[in-house]
Each structure stands twice: as C-alpha cells, then as structure tokens.
Amino acid sequence: MGITAINIRNQFRGHVKEIIRGSVVSEIDVQTPFGIVTSVITTRSVDELDLQVGSEVVALVKATEVSIARL
C-alpha cells in the first residue's frame, strides 16, 4: 500500500538516524536536509513499519496549535 494523497503539508523526507527503543514507545530521529526531526511512536509501530537505522522515511507534521511566547 502506498500513499497517493495526504492533506499534511509539513513533510520532511529523510533517513532514520537513530532509534531509541522502549518497551511501549520509541524515539525515532530522522535526519532531513533541514536538520533532525524527532518522533515518539509506539514500539509496535516501529516493528510493523520495519524501521531501521538508514530507512528512508517521510516525517509528517500536523499541528493543531502553534503557540508563541514573547522573550
């Protein structure tokens, strides 16, 4: 199955740089041309997606809220 269309506009292609596995959730670092994007997903999803260091992936970012703080 492949994605033919998606409404998420913030998409960053990259490669998995590091996986920090936990018993329930895992941290995935994705190296993109713009820097590292980190995602926390279930360890089950890591296994089902067969993610490994070096895997080519797309990080999809959809935020329902963006907050601004004055410095």
Side-chain angles (χ1 to χ4, degrees), residues 2-3 5 13 25 29 33 40 45 50 53 55 61 63-64 68-69 71:
I3 297 172
R13 292 182 78 101
V25 295
D29 286 345
V40 176
S45 291
D50 192 27
V53 172
S55 294
V61 180
T64 57
I68 302 294
L71 300 176

Side-chain angles (χ1 to χ4, degrees), residues 35-54:
I36 295 175
V37 175
T38 301
S39 177
V40 176
I41 64 174
T42 63
T43 301
R44 182 179 191 173
S45 291
V46 173
D47 295 339
E48 288 176 359
L49 292 169
D50 192 27
L51 293 179
Q52 300 172 21
V53 172

